[in-house]
Structures are given as structure tokens and as C-alpha cells.
């Protein structure tokens, strides 16, 4: 079962930071997951719409000038990374899941991501793009046909693979609170990998392993590696 470090090794280092990403691979994670916003000046790695929780500053991320964002301390002296800086942390042959929180120009987004990927050591076969906004995913897939899509969901729909089928997705990424064994079996039978978030308790890790889940997103990749040996 693959271990994705959720926002990096975010229990031990500031979430969505270069430090957290590097630490995740030191802890033997199979990949990292991080959140992105398409700012007017480029793609940045950050989870919240507002700056208060992580940067302890007032205001909204997208309303803040690029130069100001780049100077903000998000904990332990870490700065808000650009997409390129995050991708450059990904070790050779490791996975990377880019989650999209905000997208305003699909063509510009695809161009920037492709450029950053080409300038990194990323294996495009281990690059996964996910979002709760499936319209964005559909638009990206129409412009980048060979990229892997993760249909992100926090609910167990009546037709639980409908979005994944419509998107020709690689995986269904579903919340721990929503998933059950039947969901996993259904998705697998229809050809999709199942990745589950956010899984920090050993008991849940072992349960999902027994169900045959393909991977988990966790804040504690070091714990997951010990549990899932």
C-alpha cells in the first residue's frame, strides 16, 4: 500500500513546506501530496484561502501580492513554496499528488505544471492531479490526455464511480469517514485504484490494508511505514 505524506510530513514539520516534503522522503514515504492555488503570478503551495492559520497574517491568499506571499513565514522559518520548489523535493521514482484548490486559467495552469515537471525529476507515470472540483479535472484532462487524474471526494455517492468514469480517472481519492470495504471492491472491479485520506491511526491503516486499498494519505508517514511493513 502506497504511503503519501499529506501536505508532507505535516505532523513533524510545517504543512506544505519544503521542510515537510524533504522530511517525508527521509521517513521513507512513497510520495507526497500538496495543495495549490493558481495566483495571478504563478502556482503556490498552500491549503487555506486565508493567511491567518498558517502565516499568521490577515487577508486572503489570492488578494496578496506575490512578493509579499513569498516573504511570509509559515513556521520554523519556512516560506510558502512555488509549485516548482515543491516538485524539486520529489525524489526520483517517487509519487506526487497535486491537489488543486483554485484554478482560474486552465491553459496557463497546464503550461506551468508541464514546464515545472519537465524541469524536475518527476516521473510523469507517478504524477497524480486531484481536486474536489471535477470540472477543473475534466478541463485539464482534455488538454493533457496522459496525465493521471484522481477523482477526489468526501462522500460515498449512490453511483460511487460515476465521476471517475466520466473523468477517465486513474484513482478515486476518498475520505476515511466515507469509505467502506464495499466501496473499495466496487471501485477496484471497475478498474480504479482507491486512495484514502487522511489516515493517521494504525488501526485504520491496517483495516485499509486488509481491504486492499492502493494507498493512503497520512500526516505521519514514519508511523505508517512502521505499521505497514
Amino acid at each position: 500500500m502506497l504511503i503519501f505524506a499529506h501536505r508532507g510530513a505535516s505532523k513533524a514539520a510545517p504543512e506544505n513546506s519544503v521542510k515537510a516534503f524533504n522530511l517525508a522522503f527521509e521517513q521513507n514515504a512513497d510520495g507526497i501530496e500538496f495543495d495549490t492555488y493558481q495566483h495571478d503570478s504563478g502556482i503556490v503551495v498552500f491549503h487555506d484561502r486565508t493567511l491567518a492559520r498558517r502565516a499568521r497574517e490577515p487577508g486572503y491568499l489570492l488578494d496578496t501580492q506575490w512578493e509579499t506571499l513569498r516573504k511570509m513565514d509559515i513556521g520554523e522559518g519556512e516560506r510558502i513554496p512555488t509549485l516548482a520548489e515543491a516538485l524539486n523535493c520529489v525524489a526520483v521514482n517517487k509519487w506526487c499528488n497535486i491537489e488543486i484548490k483554485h484554478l482560474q486559467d486552465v491553459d496557463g495552469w497546464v503550461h506551468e505544471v508541464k514546464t515545472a515537471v519537465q524541469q524536475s525529476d518527476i516521473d510523469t507515470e507517478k504524477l497524480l492531479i486531484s481536486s474536489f472540483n471535477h470540472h477543473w479535472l475534466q478541463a485539464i484532462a482534455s488538454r493533457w490526455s496522459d496525465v493521471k487524474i484522481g477523482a477526489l471526494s468526501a462522500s460515498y455517492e449512490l453511483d460511487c464511480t460515476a465521476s471517475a468514469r466520466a473523468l477517465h480517472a486513474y484513482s478515486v481519492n476518498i475520505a476515511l469517514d466515507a469509505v467502506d470495504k464495499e466501496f473499495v471492491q466496487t471501485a477496484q472491479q471497475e478498474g480504479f485504484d482507491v486512495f484514502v485520506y487522511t489516515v493517521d491511526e494504525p488501526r485504520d491503516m491496517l483495516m485499509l490494508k486488509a481491504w486492499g486499498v492502493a494507498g493512503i494519505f497520512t500526516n505521519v508517514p514514519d508511523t505508517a511505514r512502521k505499521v505497514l511493513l
Side-chain angles (χ1 to χ4, degrees):
M1 189 160 68
L2 293 174
I3 298 169
F4 285 85
H6 179 246
R7 308 179 198 169
S10 53
K11 185 74 171 180
E15 69 176 48
N16 283 327
S17 69
V18 167
K19 182 175 182 179
F21 302 146
N22 288 333
L23 181 58
F25 291 117
E26 291 174 18
Q27 295 180 351
N28 205 22
D30 295 299
I32 57 173
E33 178 270 354
F34 54 80
D35 310 284
T36 61
Y37 281 75
Q38 187 181 31
H39 188 277
D40 288 339
S41 298
I43 299 173
V44 291
V45 178
F46 203 74
H47 180 270
D48 299 354
R49 295 171 65 241
T50 59
L51 298 166
R53 182 177 68 90
R54 295 306 309 145
R56 299 172 301 282
E57 296 283 351
Y60 289 81
L61 179 108
L62 293 174
D63 292 343
T64 305
Q65 291 186 347
W66 182 261
E67 295 77 11
T68 302
L69 282 179
R70 297 287 284 144
K71 294 176 183 177
M72 289 182 174
D73 185 338
I74 56 171
E76 301 179 19
E78 291 293 302
R79 307 299 179 188
I80 299 173
T82 63
L83 172 70
E85 289 169 344
L87 292 181
N88 284 334
C89 296
V90 181
V92 176
N93 296 323
K94 296 292 187 176
W95 282 81
C96 178
N97 184 163
I98 301 173
E99 181 179 337
I100 306 169
K101 292 292 188 183
H102 175 78
L103 189 156
Q104 57 194 20
D105 171 14
V106 177
D107 291 320
W109 187 95
V110 170
H111 175 75
E112 184 171 350
V113 175
K114 281 187 172 182
T115 299
V117 166
Q118 290 166 359
Q119 294 173 351
S120 72
D121 292 325
I122 291 282
D123 178 355
T124 54
E125 288 298 308
K126 294 183 176 180
L127 176 65
L128 188 65
I129 309 298
S130 65
S131 179
F132 287 106
N133 188 321
H134 294 179
H135 296 274
W136 293 344
L137 296 179
Q138 186 176 57
I140 290 166
S142 71
R143 292 160 171 81
W144 193 357
S145 60
D146 57 345
V147 75
K148 286 183 168 65
I149 297 294
L152 187 56
S153 178
S155 62
Y156 190 160
E157 301 288 346
L158 293 176
D159 185 349
C160 66
T161 62
S163 291
R165 296 196 309 271
L167 291 166
H168 303 289
Y170 174 80
S171 65
V172 180
N173 300 8
I174 186 166
L176 176 61
D177 289 343
V179 73
D180 66 14
K181 186 175 182 179
E182 183 180 4
F183 178 99
V184 175
Q185 292 174 336
T186 299
Q188 289 174 336
Q189 288 167 1
E190 296 189 19
F192 304 107
D193 278 358
V194 177
F195 297 136
V196 180
Y197 69 94
T198 305
V199 186
D200 288 347
E201 296 298 327
R203 177 178 175 176
D204 293 326
M205 295 173 186
L206 292 172
M207 176 186 70
L208 295 170
K209 181 180 180 180
W211 290 353
V213 165
I216 59 170
F217 299 94
T218 180
N219 298 311
V220 286
D222 53 345
T223 298
R225 181 55 65 200
K226 292 175 185 175
V227 171
L228 298 172
L229 283 176

